[in-house]
Structures are given as C-alpha cells and as structure tokens.
Amino acid sequence: MSGGLPDPDASRAVLIGGASYQYLEQLPAVAANLRDLSETLCDATLWGLPERHCVVVPDPADAPSLIGPVRRAGDEATDTLLVYYAGHGLRDADSTDLYLALTGSEEYAGYTAVAYQHLRAVVRASRARRRIIILDCCFSGRAARILTMAGGSLASEASVDGAYVLTASPRDRAALAPEGETHTAFTGELLDVLRLGVPQGPELISLDVLYRTLYDRLQAKNRPAPQRSQENDVGRLPLVRNRALGTAGSPAGPVLDSDVRTAMVASGLRLARLLRAAGRPGDALPVLRLALRERGPVAGDGTFAVQLELSELLADSGQTREAIEVLEQAFHQTHRTPGPEAVLVCRRLAELLQESGNHIQACEVLKHALDLVTGRAPEPAG
C-alpha cells in the first residue's frame, strides 16, 4: 500500500445526500454535509481532488439517480473510489437489511428505497485499487456487519479487495442530526477532523487514524459511535494532509511536485478562459502553451482540458496543423487515462482530421474512442 496520498487525477468521489423527503423527516443538515465535504475533499491543501472528479448527488429520486453516478465513477477511477451517503437508512419490515432512502421512500418499505447491497455490488465492480464507503445514516452499522459476516452468501458477495466501510452508527442505533447544528453529528465531526487535523498526529491522516479520532470524539460527546470494516489493511491508506501540523505560512503535510504541476495547469486554464471570454484569444494562447509545458509525465492532471482549449483556439485562428499536433499528443495518452475527456479528445481530433481530408486516420481515432466508451482495452495509441 502506497504511503502517499491517493492520486487525485486517478481517483473519484461521489457524495450522495437526501435532505428532502415526501414521507420521512426532513434532514436539512445533509445539504450542508454535501456542500462542505465536497469543498474539503477538493481543497488543494488537504487532498486536492479536482472538482470534476467529485460528483455531488442531492436528493436522488430513484435507483439510477443514486447508483448511476457511482457506476460511472467506478469505471473511471483507477486509484481510489470514495462513495459517501447521508440520509435516512431504512429497514424492511421482513428483513434486517439496510436500505438507502430516496425522496419518495416510506418507513419499513424497502421496495421504495435502494438496497445497500446494490450500492455495494457497484463498488465491488469498480477497477479502483482502493474503495471507500462512508455512510451517515440510521442503522448504517449494518453495512459494516454485512462486510464482516463469517460464512454465508453475504460474506462472499462482499469480498472486495481494498474495501473500507466507515459508518455513522452501530447497526441498531440511529444516527443523529442535532437540531440547530449545521451538519449531522457524524459528518460534522468528520469535517472537523479533515479541516482542522489531528494534533500530535502523523503528517498524513489515514483512514484508521480518521476512524479512531472520530470514535473518541463522538464517544466523548455521548453520541453514536462509528463503526468500520476493512479488507487488505486498506485502513493504512492516507486520505488527507494533517492540517494540525501546518503553519499560517505553509500547508500541512508534504507538498509534492505533482501538486505544484496540477495547480499551475489549473490556474493557466482558468486564466486562458478568462482571456478568451474577454475577447483576447491572442493573449490566451501563450498562457495555454505555458500550462501545457508544466504538465506531468502522463495526462490526467487537467492536461486534456488544456489541450482541448488550445487546439480550439488554434483551429479558430486557422492553425489547423498545430491544433492536430496538440490533439495527437493528447491522443497518445488516452489509453493510460480513459474517461470522458479522453473520448472528447478523440472526437475533436477525428473532426479536424476529417476536415483536413485524412478520413482513414479519422476512422481509426473514432474506433479508439469507441473502445474507450465500451470499456474494451484499446492497444496503446501509436
């Protein structure tokens, strides 16, 4: 298990929350949970997950709305997949299984909600090396119980390499949404640990350190104690930098070369887009070229977005040949970093090749894009 933070560019997070319900108690704190947890995971001084890799799903109304984003993130993530759910956890009248509430769910009617086992199955199918599920809901401890049962079909179903489940409460206790507090009890404490850090703790906060700190703090407040389950010692995985060790003039934890490159690429892209919006495309071109020189050894740190923006500017100014060259450089990395942006690179390159009369090469590029979309492993480009 790597001792560094998960690679933000090869990781994905899906934050799901139910704040509004037709038949169940309203949970307004959940909306704040989603907003602030997303902001925290994307904070470059903590983890630095790109915003496009952190999907927020508020008030899902049906199973595809809840499960679909997780499936897509699981297909894209190669390092770490983090799935968070906050809302009502339900029990069916005829079983002890955990169900995740939808906006129209009803108490003791599992068929109106999404079975936790369906979420677990989608997480199992992800190609991410490390998978994390965080549940802030009533009876969420049942998820940890299911993942640690000895024998039986549930145990075999839950056998996932690199799975870590962190839940807000023991299986027979309700989680809390204290009146007058901005967040739910569990997520409020989770945010405090992530944002403020652990005094006298390590430079990087692992899942196990996070769990132990949460357990101690919630117990001290006489609130439901969190539960956990893990496989393959994934609890040693660092998740964020320990801000408690930082100073006013520097971020907590080590700042890596990749962090610097990612920040420079993102800043250059934002500046170039502002210049284009202001009607100054000529000034945007050198900014994008500079940002492209700062990219990492492989695409995925925002480089695809820069290359797409640069190629569009070049094509608009009649520099089609250079635009094609920029996209061809990106194309050679698409097999290493598949995803929506990689497919967009292929589509845009095929368009320019076709406009230039290179129809056979355009067809080959589109075939490669189809392989990326269907999940087939294409041969390395070039």
Side-chain angles (χ1 to χ4, degrees):
M1 193 69 64
S2 170
L5 292 173
D7 179 359
D9 300 308
S11 300
R12 300 292 187 274
V14 182
L15 312 182
I16 307 162
S20 303
Y21 298 91
Q22 296 177 37
Y23 308 109
L24 303 172
E25 180 184 356
Q26 306 304 302
L27 298 174
V30 169
N33 287 3
L34 296 180
R35 180 195 65 225
D36 294 340
L37 185 56
S38 173
E39 180 182 293
T40 299
L41 295 177
C42 296
D43 187 333
T45 65
L46 294 175
W47 181 11
L49 192 66
E51 290 183 11
R52 66 185 182 280
H53 293 171
C54 186
V55 177
V56 176
V57 183
D59 297 324
D62 51 38
S65 299
L66 192 153
I67 297 293
V70 179
R71 183 181 299 278
R72 288 189 290 273
D75 290 342
E76 295 172 4
T78 55
D79 188 318
T80 298
L81 172 65
L82 187 154
V83 179
Y84 167 92
Y85 172 85
H88 285 293
L90 304 176
R91 289 180 294 185
D92 190 77
D94 298 321
S95 74
T96 59
D97 294 337
L98 172 67
Y99 290 82
L100 308 179
L102 301 167
T103 54
S105 294
E106 301 176 35
E107 188 74 57
Y108 300 113
Y111 63 88
T112 65
V114 174
Y116 168 72
Q117 62 179 335
H118 294 155
L119 175 66
R120 187 179 69 240
V122 171
V123 173
R124 282 179 63 226
S126 171
R127 60 179 181 156
R129 293 188 297 118
R130 296 171 283 199
R131 307 164 181 87
I132 305 164
I133 300 176
I134 301 176
L135 299 176
D136 185 357
C137 59
C138 300
F139 312 111
S140 58
R142 292 183 183 278
R145 177 178 67 89
I146 287 170
L147 284 179
T148 54
M149 285 178 63
S153 60
L154 285 177
S156 59
E157 271 189 283
S159 180
V160 185
D161 289 342
Y164 193 98
V165 178
L166 179 61
T167 70
S169 66
R171 66 183 182 93
D172 293 321
R173 290 195 61 184
L176 292 177
E179 187 174 351
E181 295 190 15
T182 303
H183 307 100
T184 58
F186 172 81
T187 298
E189 209 67 51
L190 171 66
L191 286 166
D192 277 351
V193 176
L194 295 177
R195 290 167 160 178
L196 304 178
V198 180
Q200 288 80 52
E203 276 193 334
L204 301 177
I205 296 177
S206 69
L207 291 166
D208 280 342
V209 169
L210 179 63
Y211 164 74
R212 288 194 296 268
T213 305
L214 287 172
Y215 187 95
D216 291 343
R217 293 186 181 185
L218 287 166
Q219 282 284 84
K221 295 179 180 180
N222 198 30
R223 291 182 169 180
Q227 303 289 299
R228 67 173 170 181
S229 173
Q230 64 173 308
E231 294 186 6
N232 294 350
D233 209 21
V234 75
R236 295 168 55 191
L237 165 69
L239 185 60
V240 297
R241 297 179 176 88
N242 187 356
R243 182 167 279 172
L245 303 185
T247 66
S250 67
V255 176
L256 309 177
D257 288 345
S258 59
D259 298 327
V260 176
R261 285 197 301 268
T262 298
M264 293 182 70
V265 170
S267 297
L269 182 59
R270 283 196 296 270
L271 176 57
R273 285 173 173 169
L274 286 172
L275 289 168
R276 287 191 70 185
R280 298 166 59 186
D283 292 330
L285 274 173
V287 172
L288 289 169
R289 287 192 174 107
L290 180 61
L292 200 54
R293 286 201 294 270
E294 296 300 330
R295 69 188 188 275
V298 298
D301 56 357
T303 305
F304 281 163
V306 172
Q307 288 163 315
L308 285 163
E309 193 86 14
L310 178 56
S311 67
E312 186 177 326
L313 266 178
L314 290 168
D316 287 347
S317 62
Q319 303 176 66
T320 305
R321 182 63 255 172
E322 188 178 349
I324 291 175
E325 290 174 357
V326 168
L327 289 176
E328 284 178 337
Q329 292 174 7
F331 177 74
H332 290 303
Q333 298 294 344
T334 56
H335 69 285
R336 298 185 187 178
T337 314
E341 284 188 326
V343 174
L344 191 55
V345 164
C346 295
R347 288 177 55 190
R348 183 58 182 146
L349 176 57
E351 289 172 3
L352 290 179
L353 288 169
Q354 198 165 19
E355 290 173 8
S356 301
N358 297 325
H359 302 294
I360 294 177
Q361 192 177 354
C363 288
E364 292 175 351
V365 170
L366 287 175
K367 181 181 180 299
H368 180 83
L370 182 61
D371 289 339
L372 293 174
V373 171
T374 58
R376 291 197 296 268
E379 291 297 319

